[in-house]
Amino acid sequence: MKKMIVAATLAAGVAVTPLMAMAQNGPQPGAGPRAEQAEKRGPRFSEADRAAFLDARIAGLKEGLKLTADQEKNWPALETALRDMAKARADAMRERRESRAEGKERTGAIERLEMRADFMEKRAAEMKKLAEAAKPLYESLDEAQKGRFDVLMRAGMRGDGHRMRHAAFHHRGAPPAPPAQQQ
């Protein structure tokens, strides 16, 4: 009986502590959902950081493919398409940041839907150009290189190594690892 009372008291204390802390601190100025999200993301990358990461991803893709001298001739078109796509995305992000910084009026639901549709249309055109540029190189690859291309491109398009591991599972036909269960 005594153990149950102690356990119940501890459980109540754990549940109430975050609420008490929030009540004591009160609302923080400027700490809305966007501020919390920005805090979780960490500092923004500079243009130089983005360029360095793009260079690294492209170099990693090329190195991972282990191109032959004959395949090398198809590489520049793919690299150019990757760089053009990255530039278009960086320009769009800069425009959105500048728009927010200027304090432009919030858009309504219909405007947001139209803006999203425009974004998707532009993104689709970029992807089409990328596919067209990659096709000659991809067709010249052997099966092992094609497998690496699939994994490396998927990871590069998403921009993180975590997904690269999952892409490798999917490429090989193995089921993805189950998500870690939290308790």
Side-chain angles (χ1 to χ4, degrees), residues 99 102-108 111:
S99 177
E102 291 173 4
K104 288 192 177 174
E105 197 173 301
R106 288 182 92 73
T107 57
E111 267 186 276

Side-chain angles (χ1 to χ4, degrees), residues 13 17 21 28 44 48 55 66 77 90 96 155 160 173:
T17 301
Q28 300 297 314
R44 286 203 172 143
D55 290 344
K66 304 288 184 207
R96 281 194 303 272
D160 67 7

Side-chain angles (χ1 to χ4, degrees), residues 43-56:
R44 286 203 172 143
F45 289 130
S46 69
E47 293 298 322
D49 292 336
R50 279 191 185 80
F53 284 116
L54 175 64
D55 290 344

Side-chain angles (χ1 to χ4, degrees), residues 76-89:
L78 174 60
E79 183 173 349
T80 298
L82 288 168
R83 291 186 183 284
D84 290 348
M85 192 172 179
K87 183 182 180 323
R89 292 188 77 195

